[in-house]
Amino acid sequence: MEKIIQITRVSLLGQGVGCGDDGNIYFVPRALPGDKVRVEVISQDKKYCECELIEVLEPALQRVTPPCAYFHSCGGCDWLHWNYSDQLQGKQQMILHAIERTSLEPTRILPIIGAENPLLYRNRIQLRMGFGKLGFFKKKSHDIVDIEECKIAQPVLNEEIQKMRAQGISRSQDIQKIELYVTEEGQVRRVSNEAHAVEGFRQINEEQNKKLQNCVSNYVEKSQSRKVLELFCGNGNLTFAYQAQVENIFAVDGNQSAIDQAKRKRERIGADSLKASTAFICDMVNRSTYRKLPSEFKGQYDTLIVDPPRSGLAGALNSLIHQELKQIIYVSCSVQSFAQDVQCLKNRFLFEEIQPIDMFPNTRHVEFVAKFSRI
């Protein structure tokens, strides 16, 4: 069934969203707010319709020519055809709409912090190689889009792609996963057929990561925090940004490689240069985390900082709340997981504000920092 739809906003999955004259809600990949489009409805669940874009009848004013030759086939970027300043407005509306659909009521939702460089920013990409091709999967497919470069990857990663092509591309029907990433020291590493970020998670946008670090550090400073429990600390990305503001930090992450990196960085800085007494512990974060904390720290930390994966905290947050806890800083890349996690804070903590940060320009993904304080 074909329909003509006026697109008014974007969804959390990056599709254009519009309401039909029948009252149904239509989700259209690659459509932008302001577009008038002809679509084919491919599935429907109650009043929600998933569609394929057939034709843009009237393009939105903010449509631009994608700078990437692979955009219409590659499954990587969502919005290279969308003017960047309008992308930022769209992401701001995404968060507003998503929060409004929950029972959460933040006092403030601050304007999103955009990137000065919306291209050539990624320090990590995952490629696929096989059948004589090297590139990314097509969207909703295991077909490889053969590429020469990625417009949102750092130049040194594109140089590595050219080196791989010069070395020869496998024609095997067994597809390899190859992760390329840039270390903090600027070296390019290549990892084959391993779990994502097997050597430790790191934020993929260094420019925007500094803004994230500053945001968390400012929250810690303004609240005059003294003892901090940080969960999913990784290699200390946030820890070292705020450590000068506090006295004690107990930081936990389940990745041993990341914890080893944090300890090495602590050693390089030197104990005399670190204001806070900082412990990095490798352990899984779950509902038993609080029980396993040192007795001299359990029930004493006044600030909790969490930066979980997209899946969230899986019900662990409530077990981490105690009488002396005054502030919670939650760094999230998923509105849905965040909303589920923080329901337990109602009537005990004030949801002060959200600060969105565009960590992933030209994609649908958005990062934000949420701050809660004890009522």
Side-chain angles (χ1 to χ4, degrees), residues 282-324:
C282 182
D283 198 2
M284 299 305 295
V285 177
N286 50 41
R287 297 185 186 189
S288 65
T289 295
Y290 183 81
R291 177 174 52 81
K292 293 187 286 185
L293 292 175
S295 57
E296 66 272 16
F297 195 79
K298 186 187 301 182
Q300 299 298 314
Y301 54 90
D302 52 43
T303 297
L304 172 65
I305 298 176
V306 296
D307 187 4
R310 191 170 299 277
S311 55
L313 292 167
L317 183 56
N318 193 52
S319 65
L320 298 163
I321 299 171
H322 60 88
Q323 188 174 355
E324 298 302 316

Side-chain angles (χ1 to χ4, degrees), residues 109 111 118 120 218 221 232 273 314 361:
I109 300 182
L120 303 177
N218 288 339
E221 182 178 17
F232 301 99
S273 300

Side-chain angles (χ1 to χ4, degrees), residues 97-215:
H97 182 78
I99 292 296
E100 285 173 357
R101 291 177 64 84
T102 71
S103 56
L104 303 174
E105 296 182 359
T107 302
R108 293 176 297 276
I109 300 182
L110 301 175
I112 189 169
I113 300 174
E116 281 78 21
N117 301 297
L119 297 174
L120 303 177
Y121 64 85
R122 286 194 68 109
N123 59 30
R124 183 188 300 268
I125 57 175
Q126 289 185 54
L127 300 168
R128 297 300 191 279
M129 182 169 66
F131 297 91
K133 298 179 180 180
L134 175 67
F136 301 107
F137 282 145
K138 291 182 180 179
K139 196 174 291 290
K140 297 182 179 180
S141 167
H142 282 179
D143 295 334
I144 300 174
V145 178
D146 199 34
I147 69 165
E148 296 285 340
E149 64 174 350
C150 173
K151 289 294 185 180
I152 65 170
Q154 289 188 8
V156 289
L157 295 183
N158 283 318
E159 291 172 8
E160 191 70 12
I161 290 174
Q162 292 305 312
K163 289 180 184 178
M164 293 176 66
R165 300 191 76 86
Q167 292 166 0
I169 305 303
S170 170
R171 295 189 174 276
S172 171
Q173 296 184 19
D174 294 326
I175 296 176
Q176 297 181 50
K177 182 179 78 170
I178 301 172
E179 188 164 297
L180 303 181
Y181 69 95
V182 186
T183 67
E184 290 187 2
E185 295 74 31
Q187 298 175 321
V188 177
R189 298 279 176 81
R190 188 189 305 181
V191 179
S192 298
N193 296 323
E194 295 286 352
H196 174 57
V198 66
E199 297 183 14
F201 174 79
R202 181 179 169 214
Q203 290 287 0
I204 56 94
N205 190 328
E206 292 162 16
E207 173 190 285
Q208 294 299 89
N209 183 51
K210 292 177 183 176
K211 298 173 185 177
L212 172 64
Q213 292 171 330
N214 288 338
C215 179

Side-chain angles (χ1 to χ4, degrees), residues 199-263:
E199 297 183 14
F201 174 79
R202 181 179 169 214
Q203 290 287 0
I204 56 94
N205 190 328
E206 292 162 16
E207 173 190 285
Q208 294 299 89
N209 183 51
K210 292 177 183 176
K211 298 173 185 177
L212 172 64
Q213 292 171 330
N214 288 338
C215 179
V216 172
S217 180
N218 288 339
Y219 283 153
V220 170
E221 182 178 17
K222 289 178 181 178
S223 65
Q224 298 182 325
S225 302
R226 290 292 172 264
K227 295 185 177 182
V228 179
L229 172 62
E230 183 183 345
L231 304 180
F232 301 99
C233 67
N235 64 0
N237 177 57
L238 298 177
T239 320
F240 293 107
Y242 69 80
Q243 66 82 24
Q245 317 294 340
V246 302
E247 297 173 0
N248 298 96
I249 303 171
F250 195 85
V252 183
D253 195 274
N255 186 297
Q256 185 64 61
S257 177
I259 290 295
D260 290 342
Q261 291 175 43
K263 289 180 177 179

Side-chain angles (χ1 to χ4, degrees), residues 35-36 40 49 65 67 95 121 211 237 256 338 348-349:
D35 282 344
K36 186 176 183 180
E40 176 75 24
C49 305
T65 301
I95 291 180
Y121 64 85
K211 298 173 185 177
N237 177 57
Q256 185 64 61
F338 165 79
R348 292 187 285 178
F349 285 80

Side-chain angles (χ1 to χ4, degrees), residues 26-78:
Y26 293 82
F27 296 89
V28 188
R30 298 295 202 225
L32 298 177
D35 282 344
K36 186 176 183 180
V37 296
R38 186 190 307 278
V39 304
E40 176 75 24
V41 178
I42 57 176
S43 67
Q44 182 170 354
D45 181 12
K46 297 181 180 179
K47 66 175 184 177
Y48 299 102
C49 305
E50 298 290 336
C51 305
E52 287 184 354
L53 177 62
I54 298 175
E55 181 184 5
V56 179
L57 301 173
E58 296 178 10
L61 294 177
Q62 61 262 38
R63 269 186 175 266
V64 297
T65 301
C68 177
Y70 315 107
F71 172 67
H72 292 292
S73 55
C74 177
C77 297
D78 302 291

Side-chain angles (χ1 to χ4, degrees), residues 349-367:
F349 285 80
L350 172 67
F351 188 0
E352 286 193 50
E353 66 184 36
I354 289 181
Q355 174 62 77
I357 301 172
D358 190 20
M359 196 73 71
F360 317 98
N362 294 301
T363 78
R364 61 183 170 83
H365 302 291
V366 65
E367 193 104 350

